[in-house]
Amino acid sequence: MKKVFSVIFCLALVFAVFAGCAASGDNTDADATPVADEQMPTVLDTMEYTLYQNIFYNDQKQDYDGQQAQKEGTFATIYDEYNGVVRYYVWGYNDQTKCCDWQWEIKFNDGADIPTNGSLVTVSGTYEVNAAALDGLWIVNPEVTVKTAFKARDYDIDMLSMDNTLERVQAVNIVNKSDAFEGKTVCCYGRVLDDKTLQDAYYDNSWTIGISGDFELPAFGTLVLVYGTVSNGALVNCTIADNTQY
């Protein structure tokens, strides 16, 4: 009888130890804070791009109104001066070419913690058709989890954290609503159009913005990173870096 009791006691002790380790692991994971990374994520998702195309270009918004939404992508903030609001997005690319992208607007509740631009996040919420959304549909009541926090760039407007579509929206705002952005520092990417102009990274006749500064200009058509300050709808005091740093 003593031997049986001894075996039972030992087994119970082993299970208790494993249970304690499991509980400890769960608590550690729950309390863990993502470490800020200096490299932005590259999220490729062809299925997400197809869904985005169907909803916004094949007029399927109403089919998804009230449905659950689950996303994983890069987080970005844009300043929509046309409507006087700040907008938040989770976005990614269709494929490695990065010329085709998808982006979902997030409607945060008051007091929500906003991730750092460029962070890898997951978003769970509900699709809502709403005229206040920039494209007529956004994700409401979101639960946002930061999988990898990005180390924030020290610029007022971080267009390097945006995909091509979001950067176009931001650039148009800066050029056409320049008073609201006067003096703001900006980092962005695009192709050299001529010795004074930056244009869309992938598409002709999309957007352009003036650039000036003490820099050595690469060949026209080169994809570059530009860092400068907004002045009268252009970027001044610019520095230019090779796009391989992005």
Side-chain angles (χ1 to χ4, degrees), residues 145-217:
T145 300
V146 177
K147 297 189 69 175
T148 306
F150 183 69
K151 185 177 180 180
R153 299 183 178 94
D154 190 20
Y155 288 84
D156 298 321
I157 303 173
D158 178 8
M159 295 163 73
L160 294 180
S161 71
M162 304 175 189
D163 65 17
N164 187 64
T165 298
L166 295 178
E167 188 184 39
R168 179 176 70 247
V169 173
Q170 191 65 83
V172 169
N173 269 267
I174 291 173
V175 172
N176 294 336
K177 298 288 184 178
S178 59
D179 288 349
F181 299 97
E182 189 71 16
K184 300 290 186 183
T185 56
V186 175
C187 56
C188 61
Y189 62 99
R191 286 177 298 152
V192 177
L193 178 61
D194 57 39
D195 59 353
K196 297 180 180 178
T197 314
L198 187 74
Q199 69 171 337
D200 188 295
Y202 303 105
Y203 301 103
D204 294 337
N205 305 313
S206 171
W207 61 267
T208 61
I209 192 168
I211 55 173
S212 63
D214 186 16
F215 51 74
E216 183 177 346
L217 198 67

Side-chain angles (χ1 to χ4, degrees), residues 39-111:
Q39 183 67 39
M40 261 182 47
T42 299
V43 178
L44 309 178
D45 195 327
T46 297
M47 291 182 64
E48 199 68 49
Y49 176 73
T50 300
L51 176 63
Y52 175 81
Q53 292 289 310
N54 285 335
I55 287 179
F56 292 106
Y57 294 98
N58 294 331
D59 198 24
Q60 295 182 7
K61 290 188 185 75
Q62 293 297 335
D63 295 342
Y64 288 86
D65 191 25
Q67 299 295 315
Q68 291 298 301
Q70 301 280 341
K71 310 296 176 187
E72 178 173 310
T74 306
F75 184 79
T77 301
I78 69 171
Y79 301 89
D80 176 9
E81 190 59 29
Y82 283 90
N83 295 288
V85 297
V86 178
R87 299 187 184 275
Y88 306 98
Y89 288 86
V90 55
W91 63 268
Y93 300 110
N94 176 41
D95 55 35
Q96 194 64 50
T97 63
K98 298 184 179 181
C99 62
C100 296
D101 46 49
W102 49 266
Q103 48 277 312
W104 304 96
E105 186 173 356
I106 305 168
K107 179 65 170 68
F108 280 106
N109 298 323
D110 292 342

